[in-house]
Amino acid sequence: VSSEQLSSLSDDTVKLLAKLKSDDSVPPIKIDAYVSPRVPTEYAQTKLNLLSTLEELKALGGGKIQVVKHELENYGEEAELAEKNYGITPQEQLVGEGAQTTTEEFFMGVAFRAGPDKVVVPFINRGIPVEYELVRSIMTVAQSERKKIGVVDTGVPVMDRSSSSRNSWALIAELR
């Protein structure tokens, strides 16, 4: 799109989307992005990357990828729906530098659906390649069959036994 290659997708992503677009067995992929209208300065570039990458994916998806962007405040009806439907909530992040460090809560989560399958990325952190995270989730939800993995109980409490995953290790949350 630009000489600096801003908002441009990698060649591998373009190839994956071309395969996806031509595969009639994959249902349309619906993406709901939940972002706060105002994010801390440190996250402004991540938000911009997220929104522009979603637009690029939608454009290259040829109707196979549908994107709905929700700009929402931390509280309200739409925030409650994001939590109820996908478990996406505003995340508290440390922002600022040195003695000026504070915490702020804001949304930057994405949910992917294709037929009965869904993948949720509750928060896009700084430093995580946005394109990789989005394409990985799209390809996961587009697969008709997923491999299953088990966690052996060795007595080390890596997994919360309740339906909530709040007390589970990050590895378990990522595997889910």
Side-chain angles (χ1 to χ4, degrees), residues 55-71:
E55 282 302 312
E56 287 295 313
L57 292 170
K58 179 181 172 183
L60 284 175
K64 196 76 148 187
I65 297 175
Q66 302 162 5
V67 177
V68 178
K69 297 176 200 166
H70 306 269
E71 278 206 344

Side-chain angles (χ1 to χ4, degrees), residues 117-161:
D117 293 325
K118 77 176 175 182
V119 171
V120 176
V121 179
F123 191 80
I124 304 284
N125 282 303
R126 281 185 315 163
I128 303 263
V130 171
E131 179 182 340
Y132 168 79
E133 194 67 39
L134 296 177
V135 173
R136 178 188 66 83
S137 298
I138 288 170
M139 298 315 290
T140 300
V141 81
Q143 291 175 350
S144 58
E145 227 177 274
R146 291 191 205 168
K147 295 183 180 192
K148 296 189 191 265
I149 189 166
V151 178
V152 177
D153 187 355
T154 62
V156 177
V158 297
M159 217 161 90
D160 187 356
R161 301 253 185 253

Side-chain angles (χ1 to χ4, degrees), residues 24-40:
D24 293 331
S25 68
V26 176
I29 297 167
K30 296 177 172 109
I31 303 172
D32 287 287
Y34 295 91
V35 295
S36 293
R38 291 170 304 283
V39 298

